Coordinates of all heavy atoms in Angstrom, one line a residue:
N1 N 17.1 -2.7 2.8 CA 18.5 -2.8 3.2 C 18.8 -1.6 4.2 O 18.1 -0.7 4.2 CB 19.4 -2.7 2.1 CG 19.3 -3.9 1.1 OD1 19.0 -5.0 1.6 ND2 19.6 -3.7 -0.1
S2 N 19.8 -1.8 4.9 CA 20.3 -0.7 5.9 C 19.1 -0.3 6.7 O 18.9 1.0 6.9 CB 20.9 0.4 5.1 OG 22.0 0.0 4.3
L3 N 18.4 -1.2 7.3 CA 17.2 -0.9 8.0 C 17.5 0.0 9.3 O 18.5 -0.2 9.9 CB 16.5 -2.1 8.4 CG 15.7 -2.7 7.3 CD1 15.4 -4.2 7.5 CD2 14.4 -1.9 7.0
K4 N 16.6 0.9 9.5 CA 16.7 1.8 10.6 C 15.4 1.6 11.6 O 14.4 1.1 11.1 CB 16.6 3.2 10.2 CG 17.7 3.6 9.2 CD 17.4 5.0 8.7 CE 18.4 5.4 7.7 NZ 18.1 6.8 7.1
P5 N 15.5 1.9 12.9 CA 14.4 1.8 13.7 C 13.1 2.5 13.2 O 12.0 2.1 13.4 CB 14.8 2.4 15.1 CG 16.3 2.1 15.1 CD 16.7 2.2 13.7
S6 N 13.3 3.6 12.5 CA 12.2 4.4 11.9 C 11.5 3.7 10.8 O 10.5 4.1 10.3 CB 12.7 5.8 11.5 OG 13.7 5.7 10.5
D7 N 12.1 2.5 10.3 CA 11.5 1.8 9.3 C 10.4 0.8 9.9 O 9.7 0.1 9.2 CB 12.4 0.9 8.5 CG 13.4 1.8 7.7 OD1 12.9 2.8 7.1 OD2 14.6 1.4 7.7
T8 N 10.4 0.7 11.2 CA 9.4 -0.2 11.9 C 8.0 0.2 11.5 O 7.6 1.4 11.7 CB 9.6 -0.1 13.4 OG1 10.9 -0.6 13.7 CG2 8.6 -0.9 14.1
A9 N 7.3 -0.7 11.0 CA 5.9 -0.5 10.5 C 5.3 -1.7 9.9 O 6.0 -2.8 9.8 CB 6.0 0.6 9.3
V10 N 4.0 -1.7 9.7 CA 3.3 -2.7 9.0 C 3.4 -2.3 7.5 O 3.0 -1.2 7.1 CB 1.9 -2.9 9.4 CG1 1.2 -4.0 8.5 CG2 1.8 -3.3 10.8
Y11 N 3.9 -3.2 6.7 CA 4.1 -2.9 5.2 C 3.0 -3.6 4.4 O 2.7 -4.8 4.6 CB 5.4 -3.4 4.8 CG 6.6 -2.5 5.2 CD1 7.0 -2.5 6.6 CD2 7.2 -1.7 4.3 CE1 8.0 -1.6 7.0 CE2 8.3 -0.9 4.7 CZ 8.6 -0.8 6.1 OH 9.6 0.0 6.5
Y12 N 2.4 -2.8 3.5 CA 1.3 -3.3 2.7 C 1.6 -3.1 1.2 O 2.2 -2.1 0.8 CB 0.0 -2.5 2.9 CG -0.4 -2.5 4.4 CD1 0.0 -1.5 5.2 CD2 -1.4 -3.3 4.8 CE1 -0.5 -1.5 6.6 CE2 -1.9 -3.4 6.1 CZ -1.4 -2.4 7.0 OH -1.9 -2.4 8.3
C13 N 1.3 -4.1 0.4 CA 1.3 -3.9 -1.0 C -0.1 -3.4 -1.5 O -1.1 -3.7 -0.8 CB 1.8 -5.1 -1.8 SG 0.7 -6.5 -1.7
Y14 N -0.2 -2.7 -2.6 CA -1.4 -2.1 -3.0 C -1.3 -1.6 -4.4 O -0.1 -1.6 -5.0 CB -1.7 -0.9 -2.2 CG -3.0 -0.2 -2.3 CD1 -4.2 -0.8 -1.9 CD2 -3.2 1.1 -2.8 CE1 -5.4 -0.2 -2.0 CE2 -4.4 1.7 -2.9 CZ -5.5 1.0 -2.5 OH -6.7 1.6 -2.6
S15 N -2.3 -1.3 -5.1 CA -2.3 -0.7 -6.4 C -3.2 0.5 -6.5 O -4.4 0.3 -6.7 CB -2.6 -1.7 -7.5 OG -2.6 -1.0 -8.8
L16 N -2.7 1.6 -6.2 CA -3.5 2.8 -6.4 C -4.0 3.0 -7.8 O -5.1 3.4 -8.0 CB -2.8 4.1 -5.9 CG -3.5 5.4 -5.9 CD1 -4.7 5.3 -5.0 CD2 -2.6 6.5 -5.5
H17 N -3.2 2.6 -8.7 CA -3.5 2.6 -10.1 C -4.8 1.8 -10.4 O -5.8 2.3 -11.0 CB -2.3 2.1 -10.9 CG -2.5 2.1 -12.4 ND1 -1.6 1.3 -13.2 CD2 -3.3 2.7 -13.2 CE1 -2.0 1.5 -14.5 NE2 -3.0 2.4 -14.5
A18 N -4.8 0.6 -9.9 CA -6.0 -0.2 -10.1 C -7.2 0.2 -9.3 O -8.4 0.2 -9.8 CB -5.7 -1.7 -9.8
A19 N -7.0 0.7 -8.1 CA -8.1 1.1 -7.2 C -8.8 2.3 -7.8 O -10.0 2.4 -7.8 CB -7.6 1.5 -5.9
R20 N -8.1 3.2 -8.4 CA -8.7 4.4 -9.0 C -9.4 4.1 -10.3 O -10.2 5.0 -10.7 CB -7.6 5.5 -9.2 CG -7.2 6.1 -7.9 CD -6.2 7.2 -8.1 NE -6.0 8.0 -6.8 CZ -5.1 8.9 -6.5 NH1 -4.2 9.1 -7.5 NH2 -5.0 9.5 -5.4
R21 N -9.2 3.0 -10.8 CA -9.9 2.5 -12.0 C -11.0 1.6 -11.7 O -11.6 0.9 -12.6 CB -8.9 1.9 -13.1 CG -8.1 3.0 -13.8 CD -6.8 2.4 -14.4 NE -6.1 3.5 -15.1 CZ -5.5 4.5 -14.6 NH1 -5.4 4.6 -13.3 NH2 -4.9 5.4 -15.4
G22 N -11.3 1.4 -10.4 CA -12.5 0.7 -10.0 C -12.3 -0.8 -10.0 O -13.3 -1.6 -9.8
V23 N -11.0 -1.3 -10.0 CA -10.8 -2.7 -10.0 C -11.2 -3.3 -8.6 O -11.6 -4.5 -8.5 CB -9.3 -3.0 -10.3 CG1 -9.0 -4.5 -10.1 CG2 -9.0 -2.5 -11.7
F24 N -11.0 -2.6 -7.6 CA -11.4 -2.9 -6.2 C -11.7 -1.7 -5.4 O -11.2 -0.6 -5.8 CB -10.3 -3.8 -5.5 CG -8.9 -3.2 -5.5 CD1 -8.5 -2.3 -4.6 CD2 -8.0 -3.6 -6.5 CE1 -7.3 -1.8 -4.6 CE2 -6.8 -3.1 -6.5 CZ -6.4 -2.2 -5.6
P25 N -12.4 -1.8 -4.3 CA -12.6 -0.6 -3.5 C -11.4 0.0 -3.0 O -10.5 -0.7 -2.6 CB -13.5 -1.1 -2.4 CG -14.1 -2.3 -2.9 CD -13.1 -3.0 -3.8
Q26 N -11.3 1.4 -3.0 CA -10.1 2.1 -2.6 C -9.7 1.8 -1.1 O -8.6 2.0 -0.8 CB -10.2 3.5 -2.8 CG -10.1 3.9 -4.3 CD -9.8 5.4 -4.5 OE1 -9.5 6.1 -3.6 NE2 -10.0 5.8 -5.8
D27 N -10.6 1.4 -0.3 CA -10.4 1.1 1.1 C -10.0 -0.3 1.4 O -9.9 -0.7 2.5 CB -11.6 1.6 2.0 CG -12.8 0.9 1.7 OD1 -12.9 0.0 0.7 OD2 -13.8 1.0 2.5
Y28 N -9.8 -1.1 0.4 CA -9.4 -2.5 0.6 C -7.9 -2.5 0.7 O -7.1 -2.0 -0.1 CB -9.8 -3.4 -0.6 CG -9.2 -4.8 -0.5 CD1 -9.8 -5.7 0.4 CD2 -8.0 -5.1 -1.1 CE1 -9.3 -6.9 0.7 CE2 -7.5 -6.3 -0.9 CZ -8.1 -7.2 0.0 OH -7.5 -8.5 0.3
W29 N -7.5 -3.2 1.8 CA -6.1 -3.4 2.1 C -5.9 -4.9 2.6 O -6.8 -5.4 3.2 CB -5.5 -2.5 3.1 CG -5.5 -1.1 2.7 CD1 -6.6 -0.2 2.7 CD2 -4.5 -0.3 2.1 NE1 -6.2 1.0 2.2 CE2 -4.9 1.0 1.8 CE3 -3.2 -0.7 1.7 CZ2 -4.1 1.9 1.2 CZ3 -2.4 0.3 1.1 CH2 -2.9 1.6 0.9

């Protein structure tokens, strides 16, 4: 909400929690 030009980006979901436990490679996006 209340978006600003500085919010312009590519947005990714991820799970650092899972990556650090070896569920998938940490460089996977």
Side-chain angles (χ1 to χ4, degrees):
N1 295 328
S2 302
L3 283 161
K4 306 173 180 179
S6 59
D7 296 319
T8 295
V10 179
Y11 285 72
Y12 302 88
C13 64
Y14 190 69
S15 178
L16 185 59
H17 183 195
R20 287 180 168 170
R21 285 160 176 76
V23 175
F24 52 83
Q26 287 195 14
D27 62 355
Y28 174 79
W29 296 84

